[in-house]
mmCIF file of all heavy atoms in Angstrom:
data_model
loop_
_atom_site.group_PDB
_atom_site.id
_atom_site.type_symbol
_atom_site.label_atom_id
_atom_site.label_comp_id
_atom_site.label_asym_id
_atom_site.label_seq_id
_atom_site.Cartn_x
_atom_site.Cartn_y
_atom_site.Cartn_z
ATOM 1 N N GLN A 6 113.766 92.720 176.729
ATOM 2 C CA GLN A 6 112.758 92.518 177.776
ATOM 3 C C GLN A 6 111.641 91.562 177.219
ATOM 4 O O GLN A 6 111.201 90.733 177.948
ATOM 5 C CB GLN A 6 112.089 93.903 178.107
ATOM 6 C CG GLN A 6 111.221 93.828 179.363
ATOM 7 C CD GLN A 6 110.643 95.251 179.714
ATOM 8 O OE1 GLN A 6 110.410 95.991 178.806
ATOM 9 N NE2 GLN A 6 110.524 95.470 181.000
ATOM 10 N N ASP A 7 111.236 91.779 176.021
ATOM 11 C CA ASP A 7 110.218 90.857 175.486
ATOM 12 C C ASP A 7 110.662 89.400 175.414
ATOM 13 O O ASP A 7 109.876 88.451 175.470
ATOM 14 C CB ASP A 7 109.822 91.396 174.073
ATOM 15 C CG ASP A 7 109.047 92.630 174.132
ATOM 16 O OD1 ASP A 7 108.595 93.018 175.275
ATOM 17 O OD2 ASP A 7 108.884 93.259 173.021
ATOM 18 N N LYS A 8 112.019 89.163 175.208
ATOM 19 C CA LYS A 8 112.501 87.875 175.090
ATOM 20 C C LYS A 8 112.872 87.209 176.390
ATOM 21 O O LYS A 8 113.323 86.097 176.493
ATOM 22 C CB LYS A 8 113.648 87.792 174.121
ATOM 23 C CG LYS A 8 113.226 88.174 172.652
ATOM 24 C CD LYS A 8 114.456 88.057 171.730
ATOM 25 C CE LYS A 8 113.983 88.302 170.238
ATOM 26 N NZ LYS A 8 115.205 88.239 169.316
ATOM 27 N N GLN A 9 112.713 87.921 177.514
ATOM 28 C CA GLN A 9 113.193 87.554 178.784
ATOM 29 C C GLN A 9 112.669 86.162 179.268
ATOM 30 O O GLN A 9 113.303 85.235 179.785
ATOM 31 C CB GLN A 9 112.950 88.544 179.816
ATOM 32 C CG GLN A 9 113.635 88.279 181.159
ATOM 33 C CD GLN A 9 113.378 89.437 182.121
ATOM 34 O OE1 GLN A 9 112.767 90.378 181.801
ATOM 35 N NE2 GLN A 9 113.863 89.283 183.373
ATOM 36 N N PHE A 10 111.404 85.966 178.909
ATOM 37 C CA PHE A 10 110.687 84.699 179.395
ATOM 38 C C PHE A 10 111.295 83.543 178.681
ATOM 39 O O PHE A 10 111.617 82.472 179.394
ATOM 40 C CB PHE A 10 109.231 84.747 178.938
ATOM 41 C CG PHE A 10 108.297 85.086 180.129
ATOM 42 C CD1 PHE A 10 108.067 86.402 180.440
ATOM 43 C CD2 PHE A 10 107.783 84.151 180.918
ATOM 44 C CE1 PHE A 10 107.328 86.785 181.485
ATOM 45 C CE2 PHE A 10 106.923 84.521 182.008
ATOM 46 C CZ PHE A 10 106.710 85.777 182.221
ATOM 47 N N VAL A 11 111.692 83.676 177.334
ATOM 48 C CA VAL A 11 112.236 82.516 176.690
ATOM 49 C C VAL A 11 113.679 82.271 177.167
ATOM 50 O O VAL A 11 114.059 81.058 177.345
ATOM 51 C CB VAL A 11 112.241 82.780 175.151
ATOM 52 C CG1 VAL A 11 112.892 81.691 174.462
ATOM 53 C CG2 VAL A 11 110.798 82.986 174.734
ATOM 54 N N THR A 12 114.470 83.303 177.387
ATOM 55 C CA THR A 12 115.921 83.109 177.689
ATOM 56 C C THR A 12 116.055 82.382 179.188
ATOM 57 O O THR A 12 117.096 81.934 179.452
ATOM 58 C CB THR A 12 116.696 84.366 177.727
ATOM 59 O OG1 THR A 12 116.049 85.362 178.561
ATOM 60 C CG2 THR A 12 116.729 84.950 176.279
ATOM 61 N N GLU A 13 115.013 82.598 179.949
ATOM 62 C CA GLU A 13 115.080 81.967 181.278
ATOM 63 C C GLU A 13 114.735 80.471 181.328
ATOM 64 O O GLU A 13 114.822 79.773 182.324
ATOM 65 C CB GLU A 13 114.145 82.664 182.274
ATOM 66 C CG GLU A 13 114.671 84.057 182.576
ATOM 67 C CD GLU A 13 113.797 84.879 183.454
ATOM 68 O OE1 GLU A 13 112.714 84.242 183.900
ATOM 69 O OE2 GLU A 13 113.897 86.022 183.662
ATOM 70 N N ILE A 14 114.495 79.905 180.115
ATOM 71 C CA ILE A 14 114.123 78.421 180.003
ATOM 72 C C ILE A 14 115.339 77.754 179.427
ATOM 73 O O ILE A 14 115.761 78.162 178.236
ATOM 74 C CB ILE A 14 112.857 78.187 179.143
ATOM 75 C CG1 ILE A 14 111.611 78.812 179.891
ATOM 76 C CG2 ILE A 14 112.649 76.753 178.907
ATOM 77 C CD1 ILE A 14 110.413 78.737 179.093
ATOM 78 N N THR A 15 115.989 76.824 180.025
ATOM 79 C CA THR A 15 117.021 76.017 179.532
ATOM 80 C C THR A 15 116.606 75.328 178.270
ATOM 81 O O THR A 15 115.501 74.675 178.121
ATOM 82 C CB THR A 15 117.467 74.928 180.563
ATOM 83 O OG1 THR A 15 117.791 75.598 181.718
ATOM 84 C CG2 THR A 15 118.682 74.140 180.040
ATOM 85 N N PRO A 16 117.325 75.373 177.173
ATOM 86 C CA PRO A 16 117.025 74.786 175.920
ATOM 87 C C PRO A 16 116.940 73.192 176.099
ATOM 88 O O PRO A 16 117.748 72.640 176.813
ATOM 89 C CB PRO A 16 118.172 75.085 174.899
ATOM 90 C CG PRO A 16 118.730 76.392 175.458
ATOM 91 C CD PRO A 16 118.521 76.285 177.070
ATOM 92 N N GLN A 17 116.004 72.594 175.416
ATOM 93 C CA GLN A 17 115.879 71.129 175.526
ATOM 94 C C GLN A 17 117.193 70.383 175.158
ATOM 95 O O GLN A 17 117.508 69.385 175.808
ATOM 96 C CB GLN A 17 114.811 70.589 174.595
ATOM 97 C CG GLN A 17 113.353 71.012 175.082
ATOM 98 C CD GLN A 17 112.312 70.368 174.206
ATOM 99 O OE1 GLN A 17 112.526 69.834 173.152
ATOM 100 N NE2 GLN A 17 111.016 70.386 174.729
ATOM 101 N N SER A 18 117.889 70.888 174.084
ATOM 102 C CA SER A 18 119.023 70.201 173.635
ATOM 103 C C SER A 18 120.252 70.322 174.627
ATOM 104 O O SER A 18 121.039 69.482 174.614
ATOM 105 C CB SER A 18 119.518 70.821 172.257
ATOM 106 O OG SER A 18 119.733 72.263 172.423
ATOM 107 N N GLU A 19 120.076 71.326 175.524
ATOM 108 C CA GLU A 19 121.252 71.544 176.474
ATOM 109 C C GLU A 19 121.109 70.606 177.744
ATOM 110 O O GLU A 19 121.940 69.973 178.158
ATOM 111 C CB GLU A 19 121.199 73.057 176.896
ATOM 112 C CG GLU A 19 122.355 73.380 177.893
ATOM 113 C CD GLU A 19 122.285 74.887 178.167
ATOM 114 O OE1 GLU A 19 122.259 75.744 177.271
ATOM 115 O OE2 GLU A 19 122.313 75.235 179.435
ATOM 116 N N ASP A 20 119.828 70.547 178.253
ATOM 117 C CA ASP A 20 119.591 69.737 179.433
ATOM 118 C C ASP A 20 118.086 69.607 179.528
ATOM 119 O O ASP A 20 117.369 70.450 179.987
ATOM 120 C CB ASP A 20 120.061 70.461 180.682
ATOM 121 C CG ASP A 20 119.899 69.660 181.932
ATOM 122 O OD1 ASP A 20 119.126 68.725 181.935
ATOM 123 O OD2 ASP A 20 120.730 69.854 182.902
ATOM 124 N N PHE A 21 117.536 68.396 179.043
ATOM 125 C CA PHE A 21 116.133 68.196 178.958
ATOM 126 C C PHE A 21 115.420 68.224 180.300
ATOM 127 O O PHE A 21 114.315 68.760 180.467
ATOM 128 C CB PHE A 21 115.817 66.840 178.212
ATOM 129 C CG PHE A 21 114.365 66.625 177.881
ATOM 130 C CD1 PHE A 21 113.881 67.227 176.726
ATOM 131 C CD2 PHE A 21 113.494 65.897 178.628
ATOM 132 C CE1 PHE A 21 112.532 67.118 176.337
ATOM 133 C CE2 PHE A 21 112.172 65.707 178.281
ATOM 134 C CZ PHE A 21 111.658 66.373 177.141
ATOM 135 N N SER A 22 116.123 67.606 181.261
ATOM 136 C CA SER A 22 115.466 67.544 182.639
ATOM 137 C C SER A 22 115.416 68.985 183.266
ATOM 138 O O SER A 22 114.437 69.318 183.924
ATOM 139 C CB SER A 22 116.372 66.725 183.614
ATOM 140 O OG SER A 22 116.299 65.360 183.146
ATOM 141 N N ARG A 23 116.387 69.806 183.057
ATOM 142 C CA ARG A 23 116.386 71.171 183.554
ATOM 143 C C ARG A 23 115.286 71.965 182.825
ATOM 144 O O ARG A 23 114.572 72.774 183.469
ATOM 145 C CB ARG A 23 117.823 71.812 183.237
ATOM 146 C CG ARG A 23 118.007 73.168 183.942
ATOM 147 C CD ARG A 23 118.052 73.081 185.368
ATOM 148 N NE ARG A 23 116.883 73.761 185.955
ATOM 149 C CZ ARG A 23 116.512 73.621 187.221
ATOM 150 N NH1 ARG A 23 117.143 72.823 188.075
ATOM 151 N NH2 ARG A 23 115.363 74.208 187.596
ATOM 152 N N TRP A 24 115.193 71.792 181.452
ATOM 153 C CA TRP A 24 114.202 72.415 180.704
ATOM 154 C C TRP A 24 112.819 72.087 181.269
ATOM 155 O O TRP A 24 111.912 72.998 181.433
ATOM 156 C CB TRP A 24 114.143 71.892 179.215
ATOM 157 C CG TRP A 24 112.973 72.267 178.447
ATOM 158 C CD1 TRP A 24 112.671 73.429 177.713
ATOM 159 C CD2 TRP A 24 111.814 71.515 178.214
ATOM 160 N NE1 TRP A 24 111.500 73.423 177.219
ATOM 161 C CE2 TRP A 24 110.859 72.234 177.477
ATOM 162 C CE3 TRP A 24 111.366 70.190 178.628
ATOM 163 C CZ2 TRP A 24 109.598 71.740 177.146
ATOM 164 C CZ3 TRP A 24 110.175 69.692 178.348
ATOM 165 C CH2 TRP A 24 109.258 70.504 177.573
ATOM 166 N N TYR A 25 112.511 70.886 181.585
ATOM 167 C CA TYR A 25 111.224 70.388 182.122
ATOM 168 C C TYR A 25 110.963 71.097 183.412
ATOM 169 O O TYR A 25 109.868 71.642 183.629
ATOM 170 C CB TYR A 25 111.389 68.842 182.376
ATOM 171 C CG TYR A 25 110.078 68.244 182.994
ATOM 172 C CD1 TYR A 25 108.903 68.082 182.260
ATOM 173 C CD2 TYR A 25 110.062 67.830 184.294
ATOM 174 C CE1 TYR A 25 107.778 67.552 182.717
ATOM 175 C CE2 TYR A 25 109.012 67.301 184.856
ATOM 176 C CZ TYR A 25 107.781 67.138 184.118
ATOM 177 O OH TYR A 25 106.708 66.577 184.665
ATOM 178 N N ILE A 26 111.980 71.148 184.316
ATOM 179 C CA ILE A 26 111.668 71.785 185.649
ATOM 180 C C ILE A 26 111.443 73.304 185.444
ATOM 181 O O ILE A 26 110.630 73.924 186.062
ATOM 182 C CB ILE A 26 112.912 71.610 186.626
ATOM 183 C CG1 ILE A 26 113.027 69.999 186.930
ATOM 184 C CG2 ILE A 26 112.713 72.392 187.870
ATOM 185 C CD1 ILE A 26 111.812 69.471 187.636
ATOM 186 N N ASP A 27 112.248 73.945 184.586
ATOM 187 C CA ASP A 27 112.113 75.367 184.303
ATOM 188 C C ASP A 27 110.654 75.663 183.835
ATOM 189 O O ASP A 27 109.992 76.640 184.267
ATOM 190 C CB ASP A 27 113.093 75.817 183.156
ATOM 191 C CG ASP A 27 114.589 75.903 183.701
ATOM 192 O OD1 ASP A 27 114.741 75.872 184.902
ATOM 193 O OD2 ASP A 27 115.426 76.103 182.836
ATOM 194 N N VAL A 28 110.220 74.796 182.902
ATOM 195 C CA VAL A 28 108.893 75.050 182.353
ATOM 196 C C VAL A 28 107.756 74.934 183.263
ATOM 197 O O VAL A 28 106.911 75.720 183.329
ATOM 198 C CB VAL A 28 108.690 74.108 181.059
ATOM 199 C CG1 VAL A 28 107.209 74.068 180.662
ATOM 200 C CG2 VAL A 28 109.551 74.666 179.944
ATOM 201 N N ILE A 29 107.801 73.831 184.006
ATOM 202 C CA ILE A 29 106.619 73.674 185.003
ATOM 203 C C ILE A 29 106.635 74.596 186.104
ATOM 204 O O ILE A 29 105.555 74.985 186.572
ATOM 205 C CB ILE A 29 106.603 72.172 185.500
ATOM 206 C CG1 ILE A 29 107.838 71.855 186.228
ATOM 207 C CG2 ILE A 29 106.307 71.169 184.312
ATOM 208 C CD1 ILE A 29 107.831 70.386 186.847
ATOM 209 N N LYS A 30 107.832 75.113 186.476
ATOM 210 C CA LYS A 30 107.834 76.080 187.516
ATOM 211 C C LYS A 30 107.440 77.530 186.938
ATOM 212 O O LYS A 30 106.691 78.191 187.534
ATOM 213 C CB LYS A 30 109.227 76.226 188.060
ATOM 214 C CG LYS A 30 109.624 75.001 188.954
ATOM 215 C CD LYS A 30 109.094 75.215 190.384
ATOM 216 C CE LYS A 30 109.801 76.266 191.135
ATOM 217 N NZ LYS A 30 109.243 76.551 192.423
ATOM 218 N N LYS A 31 107.953 77.834 185.729
ATOM 219 C CA LYS A 31 107.727 79.102 185.176
ATOM 220 C C LYS A 31 106.293 79.223 184.784
ATOM 221 O O LYS A 31 105.694 80.342 184.811
ATOM 222 C CB LYS A 31 108.615 79.400 184.013
ATOM 223 C CG LYS A 31 108.745 80.807 183.670
ATOM 224 C CD LYS A 31 110.096 81.224 183.048
ATOM 225 C CE LYS A 31 110.182 82.653 182.857
ATOM 226 N NZ LYS A 31 110.045 83.466 184.128
ATOM 227 N N ALA A 32 105.660 78.197 184.382
ATOM 228 C CA ALA A 32 104.272 78.192 183.877
ATOM 229 C C ALA A 32 103.277 78.057 185.078
ATOM 230 O O ALA A 32 102.073 77.973 184.861
ATOM 231 C CB ALA A 32 104.055 77.055 182.883
ATOM 232 N N ASP A 33 103.798 78.023 186.323
ATOM 233 C CA ASP A 33 102.988 77.958 187.490
ATOM 234 C C ASP A 33 102.103 76.745 187.531
ATOM 235 O O ASP A 33 100.957 76.783 187.983
ATOM 236 C CB ASP A 33 102.163 79.266 187.649
ATOM 237 C CG ASP A 33 102.981 80.492 187.818
ATOM 238 O OD1 ASP A 33 104.068 80.332 188.443
ATOM 239 O OD2 ASP A 33 102.511 81.548 187.426
ATOM 240 N N LEU A 34 102.551 75.596 187.075
ATOM 241 C CA LEU A 34 101.775 74.370 187.161
ATOM 242 C C LEU A 34 101.891 73.693 188.541
ATOM 243 O O LEU A 34 101.023 73.015 189.002
ATOM 244 C CB LEU A 34 102.329 73.340 186.143
ATOM 245 C CG LEU A 34 102.089 73.833 184.611
ATOM 246 C CD1 LEU A 34 102.465 72.620 183.710
ATOM 247 C CD2 LEU A 34 100.738 74.333 184.312
ATOM 248 N N MET A 35 103.067 73.877 189.279
ATOM 249 C CA MET A 35 103.249 73.226 190.557
ATOM 250 C C MET A 35 104.261 73.940 191.327
ATOM 251 O O MET A 35 104.911 74.865 190.881
ATOM 252 C CB MET A 35 103.755 71.769 190.309
ATOM 253 C CG MET A 35 105.027 71.575 189.429
ATOM 254 S SD MET A 35 106.570 72.121 190.183
ATOM 255 C CE MET A 35 106.719 71.014 191.438
ATOM 256 N N ASP A 36 104.420 73.563 192.588
ATOM 257 C CA ASP A 36 105.412 74.062 193.435
ATOM 258 C C ASP A 36 105.826 72.821 194.383
ATOM 259 O O ASP A 36 105.025 71.932 194.591
ATOM 260 C CB ASP A 36 105.000 75.290 194.259
ATOM 261 C CG ASP A 36 106.211 76.134 194.693
ATOM 262 O OD1 ASP A 36 107.350 75.661 194.508
ATOM 263 O OD2 ASP A 36 106.003 77.301 195.102
ATOM 264 N N TYR A 37 106.983 73.005 194.928
ATOM 265 C CA TYR A 37 107.448 71.893 195.833
ATOM 266 C C TYR A 37 106.847 72.109 197.207
ATOM 267 O O TYR A 37 106.709 73.219 197.655
ATOM 268 C CB TYR A 37 109.024 71.889 195.993
ATOM 269 C CG TYR A 37 109.705 71.493 194.643
ATOM 270 C CD1 TYR A 37 110.240 72.444 193.896
ATOM 271 C CD2 TYR A 37 109.699 70.206 194.248
ATOM 272 C CE1 TYR A 37 110.832 72.122 192.663
ATOM 273 C CE2 TYR A 37 110.411 69.807 193.020
ATOM 274 C CZ TYR A 37 110.901 70.808 192.203
ATOM 275 O OH TYR A 37 111.477 70.436 191.099
ATOM 276 N N SER A 38 106.454 71.014 197.802
ATOM 277 C CA SER A 38 105.905 71.050 199.150
ATOM 278 C C SER A 38 107.003 70.756 200.191
ATOM 279 O O SER A 38 108.059 70.321 199.752
ATOM 280 C CB SER A 38 104.765 70.011 199.330
ATOM 281 O OG SER A 38 105.285 68.716 199.681
ATOM 282 N N PRO A 39 106.800 70.975 201.469
ATOM 283 C CA PRO A 39 107.770 70.716 202.417
ATOM 284 C C PRO A 39 108.012 69.227 202.745
ATOM 285 O O PRO A 39 108.974 68.879 203.433
ATOM 286 C CB PRO A 39 107.351 71.482 203.703
ATOM 287 C CG PRO A 39 105.860 71.571 203.519
ATOM 288 C CD PRO A 39 105.603 71.669 202.075
ATOM 289 N N VAL A 40 107.147 68.454 202.152
ATOM 290 C CA VAL A 40 107.313 66.996 202.322
ATOM 291 C C VAL A 40 108.119 66.327 201.144
ATOM 292 O O VAL A 40 107.682 66.655 199.948
ATOM 293 C CB VAL A 40 105.916 66.328 202.402
ATOM 294 C CG1 VAL A 40 106.064 64.758 202.595
ATOM 295 C CG2 VAL A 40 105.112 66.883 203.613
ATOM 296 N N ARG A 41 109.080 65.634 201.375
ATOM 297 C CA ARG A 41 109.947 65.137 200.408
ATOM 298 C C ARG A 41 109.186 64.343 199.295
ATOM 299 O O ARG A 41 108.370 63.521 199.698
ATOM 300 C CB ARG A 41 111.031 64.210 200.893
ATOM 301 C CG ARG A 41 112.049 63.717 199.993
ATOM 302 C CD ARG A 41 112.902 62.623 200.413
ATOM 303 N NE ARG A 41 112.096 61.388 200.484
ATOM 304 C CZ ARG A 41 111.924 60.688 199.364
ATOM 305 N NH1 ARG A 41 112.445 60.918 198.170
ATOM 306 N NH2 ARG A 41 111.194 59.509 199.477
#
Side-chain angles (χ1 to χ4, degrees):
Q6 190 177 34
D7 290 346
K8 291 181 177 178
Q9 188 176 357
F10 260 86
V11 176
T12 57
E13 289 178 8
I14 296 173
T15 304
Q17 289 183 348
S18 58
E19 184 179 309
D20 186 336
F21 191 80
S22 295
R23 188 68 250 166
W24 167 85
Y25 178 75
I26 297 298
D27 287 350
V28 165
I29 59 178
K30 286 280 289 174
K31 197 151 189 58
D33 295 328
L34 297 186
M35 54 71 64
D36 205 347
Y37 293 102
S38 85
V40 179
R41 190 196 70 82

